[in-house]
Amino acid sequence: MLHTPATLATPDTLAHTRTRPLHWLATATATAAVIAAAGLIQPATGTPAATDEPAAKGPRATAPDPAAVTYPLDCKGAPQAVTATAQGDLDGDGRPETVAAVRCDAGSGTPPHAIYVLTQDPAEGARPRIVATLLDTPQRQTATELTVRDRAVTASLLGYSGPEIPRCCPDRNQRAKWRWTDGKFRQELTDSAARSV
């Protein structure tokens, strides 16, 4: 039996190769049906997972600007320097605080740090203010690795084992943590004894 090759259809004979208004109407209707069906599907109901952060109301609060504060350091005419900052909600009120490590910007040596907690009232135009001093300069320590996590402030504190140690070269390292408890910050040492550097 002889086979004859199939004749190829020409574009003029295929109905689906030419778009007509009916095709566009069918496509638009199908797309609208899919979008409408997606809008009817609702997420599972239930209670949202609990978080320790209160629900935000209105625009998100910004942390206080550490450059907008005058710090109570007596630098004998030298400028003050904010060397590290960290932000977070330390007291659970839904507004972030700023923690700032500040020292006198002396030309040499290692001036001691003070660590301050700053807050800012929500009223428009309110300026940041210091609400707590976590570390003061008479303690003669240098603060590094300043962080705020889980409503606690953590810092690595470099210090000196004795008065004969040069101020340029701290030889002790201690991790410290401060947490807001019962209306004030309480210090928790994260290691029981200072380590030699």
Side-chain angles (χ1 to χ4, degrees):
M1 172 182 233
L2 293 173
H3 294 283
T4 58
T7 56
L8 295 174
T10 64
D12 293 328
T13 62
L14 298 176
H16 66 274
T17 60
R18 205 177 288 161
T19 58
R20 294 192 170 93
L22 183 60
H23 291 115
W24 289 111
L25 181 62
T27 302
T29 303
T31 302
V34 169
I35 292 171
L40 294 175
I41 298 173
Q42 297 295 320
T45 59
T47 306
T51 63
D52 41 340
E53 296 295 326
K57 294 181 177 107
R60 185 169 171 83
T62 58
D65 179 6
V69 175
T70 301
Y71 298 97
L73 290 179
D74 181 12
C75 293
K76 310 277 191 256
Q80 298 176 352
V82 176
T83 60
T85 62
Q87 292 81 27
D89 182 7
L90 295 169
D91 57 3
D93 67 352
R95 294 192 323 262
E97 285 77 31
T98 296
V99 181
V102 186
R103 65 180 175 94
C104 295
D105 195 8
S108 61
T110 308
H113 272 104
I115 299 177
Y116 300 106
V117 178
L118 314 176
T119 191
Q120 187 167 348
D121 295 326
E124 188 175 337
R127 294 184 54 80
R129 58 189 171 88
I130 298 171
V131 291
T133 301
L134 303 182
L135 179 72
D136 208 354
T137 55
Q139 293 171 270
R140 307 207 53 81
Q141 293 180 310
T142 301
T144 63
E145 300 174 26
L146 189 63
T147 61
V148 172
R149 187 174 296 120
D150 299 327
R151 294 189 181 164
V153 179
T154 306
S156 180
L157 302 177
L158 303 178
Y160 307 93
S161 58
E164 70 283 353
I165 303 299
R167 298 297 103 181
C168 67
C169 310
D171 65 341
R172 307 284 282 191
N173 185 1
Q174 188 172 43
R175 299 282 293 173
K177 181 183 285 188
W178 295 268
R179 187 179 301 279
W180 180 259
T181 308
D182 298 327
K184 63 181 174 181
F185 284 98
R186 298 187 186 274
Q187 184 177 1
E188 310 165 5
L189 294 179
T190 58
D191 46 7
S192 57
R195 300 183 310 271
S196 294
V197 177

